Amino acid sequence: MNTQTELLTIQEVAEATGLSVHTLRYYERIGLIHSIGRAQNTHRRYSMDDVGWIEFLKKLRATGMPIHQMLRYAELQRMGDETLPERLEMLKELRRNVEAHMAELQEHLKVIQYKIELYGELLAERTP
Amino acid sequence: MNTQTELLTIQEVAEATGLSVHTLRYYERIGLIHSIGRAQNTHRRYSMDDVGWIEFLKKLRATGMPIHQMLRYAELQRMGDETLPERLEMLKELRRNVEAHMAELQEHLKVIQYKIELYGELLAERTP
DNA sequence: TCTTGACTTAGAGTGCGCTCTAAGTTGTAG
DNA sequence: CTACAACTTAGAGCGCACTCTAAGTCAAGA
């Protein structure tokens, strides 16, 4: 167990989040993650809040939000409550995009499904 | 109207499919599209079958299939009916992947939805 | 004391999927 | 006859999101 509030090394955060240590440092460098606290030896020590934020970032990425937009969101977050409306708008736009993307995937899935059935039938004919 | 079976120029196909002429030539170069017929002046002339294949390629891409797999599929297609089983397997794998991806998006959508509601409430408090 | 290994930084390199450029040919309009 | 637009090729370049390298620091264990 750790000192007070359970601080994690970059290795541990990499394992916990599935991001590589390279990516964690990269995200911090570009400003996606605010400056992480350091131990006396300059090594990073991540708080649980940090890990929570990283998990949220992962979700944004997985929904297809480009890094520059995530950067904007992170910036707004750091600016405090007066940026709530803009962040809300970003999330709503993201929701629209994800819903549209899912609808598109659904359509494509139908075509794939159709082709699978067609191929199945053709195969049944060839090897009766 | 064109000669016999309505052949299209690369420009026309670009407009019809939404791919750029650059991308159309690129796809042909790497083997995603078989060699397109030429007019006397060496200019490409696309048949309706060609356009249909390109539309199918677009769907594969839109579902996230990487180019190297699409290449494999195109290769199998050209090899004829004895490759039906492998193509069927590829399509089934694609279906699994798309379904998994959609499920993941659905989960992320929930989190986004939750945050949107949370932010909405916070905003309502701040500006009553 | 020495080695090992986990960390640090700045910056270079990679893979993907295009996207663009340069230089040349061709066919039609004026 | 000339100008122009649309095409052709081979190959270079680009944006994104990482991913890796080199060189250095530091702390703990043999």
Side-chain angles (χ1 to χ4, degrees):
Chain A
M1 221 175 285
N2 250 313
T3 29
Q4 312 128 298
T5 26
E6 191 74 40
L7 296 174
L8 302 180
T9 67
I10 195 166
Q11 262 309 326
E12 290 165 337
V13 173
E15 278 156 29
T17 62
L19 296 179
S20 72
V21 295
H22 296 299
T23 301
L24 286 171
R25 284 194 279 250
Y26 165 68
Y27 277 7
E28 187 176 340
R29 210 174 355 161
I30 66 176
L32 262 187
I33 304 173
H34 69 87
S35 263
I36 294 292
R38 304 303 172 114
Q40 303 89 313
N41 56 8
T42 75
H43 291 192
R44 288 171 179 78
R45 289 293 179 268
Y46 292 79
S47 72
M48 284 311 168
D49 277 3
D50 294 331
V51 175
W53 173 245
I54 291 164
E55 288 293 350
F56 180 61
L57 288 180
K58 273 181 63 185
K59 289 187 208 311
L60 293 185
R61 278 297 296 130
T63 57
M65 185 185 277
I67 294 264
H68 73 262
Q69 270 184 44
M70 293 170 58
L71 224 40
R72 175 70 182 152
Y73 192 98
E75 192 191 345
L76 291 172
Q77 181 107 321
R78 283 194 290 274
M79 287 169 68
D81 280 0
E82 72 266 31
T83 67
L84 266 176
E86 189 171 343
R87 277 183 277 157
L88 182 57
E89 195 36 63
M90 287 186 78
L91 291 179
K92 284 181 175 173
E93 192 199 334
L94 180 60
R95 178 174 58 183
R96 282 194 298 276
N97 291 344
V98 173
E99 281 169 350
H101 186 203
M102 286 183 70
E104 190 201 15
L105 284 179
Q106 189 64 59
E107 283 309 303
H108 293 337
L109 205 49
K110 277 189 206 162
V111 177
I112 293 164
Q113 187 66 39
Y114 173 77
K115 254 193 178 317
I116 286 174
E117 279 161 22
L118 187 71
Y119 278 24
E121 282 167 27
L122 285 175
L123 266 180
E125 281 172 30
R126 279 167 42 84
T127 53
Chain B
M1 222 174 286
N2 251 313
T3 30
Q4 315 127 298
T5 28
E6 191 75 40
L7 296 173
L8 302 181
T9 67
I10 194 167
Q11 264 308 327
E12 290 165 337
V13 174
E15 277 156 31
T17 62
L19 296 179
S20 73
V21 295
H22 296 299
T23 301
L24 287 170
R25 284 194 280 251
Y26 166 68
Y27 277 7
E28 187 176 341
R29 213 179 346 168
I30 66 175
L32 261 187
I33 303 174
H34 70 87
S35 264
I36 294 293
R38 303 303 171 114
Q40 304 89 314
N41 55 9
T42 76
H43 291 192
R44 287 169 179 80
R45 289 293 177 270
Y46 292 79
S47 72
M48 284 309 167
D49 276 5
D50 294 332
V51 175
W53 172 246
I54 291 164
E55 288 293 348
F56 180 61
L57 288 181
K58 274 182 63 185
K59 289 188 208 311
L60 293 185
R61 277 297 296 130
T63 57
M65 185 186 277
I67 294 264
H68 73 263
Q69 272 184 43
M70 293 169 59
L71 225 40
R72 175 70 182 151
Y73 192 97
E75 191 191 346
L76 291 172
Q77 180 107 322
R78 283 194 289 274
M79 288 169 69
D81 279 3
E82 72 266 33
T83 67
L84 267 177
E86 189 170 343
R87 277 183 276 156
L88 182 57
E89 194 37 63
M90 286 186 78
L91 291 179
K92 284 181 177 174
E93 192 200 332
L94 180 60
R95 178 173 59 182
R96 283 194 299 277
N97 291 344
V98 173
E99 281 169 351
H101 186 203
M102 286 183 70
E104 190 200 15
L105 285 179
Q106 189 64 58
E107 284 308 304
H108 293 336
L109 206 49
K110 277 188 204 162
V111 176
I112 293 163
Q113 186 66 39
Y114 172 77
K115 255 194 180 314
I116 285 174
E117 279 162 21
L118 187 70
Y119 278 23
E121 282 166 27
L122 285 176
L123 266 181
E125 281 172 28
R126 280 168 39 85
T127 52

